[in-house]
Amino acid sequence: MFDATIQTVGDFWKIVPHERGKLCVYFPAEKETTNLRFHVNGPFASTISRDCIPHGEENGRLRDQIVKLLVKSLLRLRDEGLANESFLATLPNASDNLSTFYLPFRSELKKCFEAQDLIATSDGGFRSSAAVYLGGEAYRRLLDKEELLFFSKGQRRYWAKPIFSTRARVFLRTVLGVPEVDDEFFLQEVKSHFDSGMSGSEDASDWLLSRGIAWLRQFYGFLAGRQLPVQHCRIILGSDGRLHRPSQLFLAPKDVPSRDFDLVVLVNDDVASGEVGGRRMVEVLGILGVKEVNSSEVVRALLNHYYVPSSQTFDEGRHLEHMRRFLVYWEGKGRETHLFEDRPLFRDRESRGYRRASEVYLGRPYREGALDTVLHSSLHGSLVWAGYAVLGTIFSQFAEALGVRTRIEFEEIRDVSMNPELQQHVTKNTTAFMRDWILPRSLIPDNDLYLALPAVLAGTNAPTLPPRYEWNVDKARCVWNLMCEAKETLFLAQFRKSNPMMGRSLLVQILREYAWVPDRSGFFRRPRDLRAERLLDGFGVDDTCGWLKEVAFGGDRNADEAGVVEVQSKAEDLIRSRTGFSLQEIEELREAELRFWMFGGSSRRRIGIQRLFHRSALIVLDAGRRRRRRRMSRPFGRSNLFCRKWRGCLRTLGHSGERTWRISIATMRVCRYAKCADCSCHRPRFVSVTMTFISGRGNFCQA
């Protein structure tokens, strides 16, 4: 083991590995291959030719004794100063391909190095294999004892003396398991402590903040020099005294006032100034991912901080300042909108909350129209806050570019279960393609109107819109204009794509059966009950509009039915002149909890009392005694109608064909009778405050 030909250094010998270690039984056994880098001599039992030894039990016991002698010699070699780099290169490592007979040399040496302090360290001492790190000079300068203690998770570690021999490094790493601090190892440790997506902790941040500006500069310079990907690690000290990811911080140019960047976090001034390793810190931070602040970064920082669903509220003045920045950026960047897409950016007028562009409408003062009236008290549509008007016309252009709607659109639904013409084809487990169209949710927010459509078609429900929808002329004009521009695809509902089953859409059926179009008298009529000359101003009729035919505008009247419309208009004028109320006002009074009572059986005296608030007086009109009840010659709608003649209440209005039309001014009521299932008598099933037309053969109502 000792090479006497090597010149001594002081009083020490130097141990160097042999190219091919031999086993000797006083003389070398030439055919015995040990693959060790030192010679082994002992009284082994050999073959007759003495060129090898049998690997039996007897020689195994002698081998174990030699291994124990080697292990005991390690402490003395350390004390004599011979346990250096060349000595470590002499010991067997994982690449030496030892046979089974010689493996105990390596295994027993490993146990000894783990238990004894045999590895020389940079501080002049010796440590066990579990307490040392291998590393290059750059890591040794960056990580001192305190840094090594932190990155080794509280276990005290020491730097091993620089090892240049490849065999010695292989022995330490593969046999003893000594970790080597390289770029991969160091990056993993940094991520485990500071990566926001991993197990980063506040203790790690506090430790890094305590290292001081000088060490942080050295740390950043080292990471930049190695170009380690640390963009997700919170390691850069910001101007707010906290650690941030590189992408969250910015470098402010010296020629730009800092007040322009008061809404973004800059790098700490002491960190950003000076040099490290011959590089300016600005360059170093740029390599790590810190960008120089510009308009794009300011806007992105504002959006990420304020305009996210979980963002806190802030005052109107700050929001307007943000919007001014957005407009300047948008116009300067060629009006690109990708940065603002899907952001709750616009303040609404009602709740003063912030909504996405697809959730708000642009009304007054940005666009003239009926949107303000239509969306008043609507649950499904909101108008943009009027405070943006101080920003000028560019705001409305910006809002429209992002998708803020300036008009109401009909809505598509993937369901035909509410459509009376197609609902019988829908089963519980239907998965077929379905498409239908309905009125905008901003006008009709629920499905009650569609669910009541079968009753309207059957004649059991009146075709009037419920008061809770607050239907008015502006809403009607909005729907009218939308229908004039609608495509023919909105008129049909579809069930299944292949071999489709088609029917009229809910949109067409609702507009066809309900009274929603105002006439010149202020009443809402069904399209079939109106003609072009009776429409209110602003409701133009174009013969090229196919939707008018779909909703049966004007109806398919014969001469007799046309006379009904003419007589009806005369009746409305007469009622207004006699009572001071229009039919619409009478209907509203009835809906406002006013009652119309009818008492008695079918063969007894009946008194109808109608209470109307006319000016400031309560008028009670007595209908008088019923003289006779006569059934109509033909049914009206889908059910039989019965009415009564009242003494002294008739007035002739005009003639149509062979009939004379009259109206009962005093009562203004209609009674619908149906045959009772129990006693076969006729009882009133429906009472409405409206006009009653009386003909020569019988009475019927035209609501």
Side-chain angles (χ1 to χ4, degrees), residues 608-612 618-622:
I609 301 176
Q610 175 187 3
R611 297 184 178 181
L612 298 175
L618 178 63
I619 300 177
V620 179
L621 301 176
D622 191 343

Side-chain angles (χ1 to χ4, degrees), residues 37 86 205 230 243 268 274 300 346 377 379 473 548 550 691:
R37 294 305 180 99
S86 61
S205 299
V230 292
L243 296 175
N268 182 274
R300 185 177 286 105
F346 297 95
S377 75
L379 299 178
V473 175
L548 292 175
E550 293 292 335
M691 68 188 74

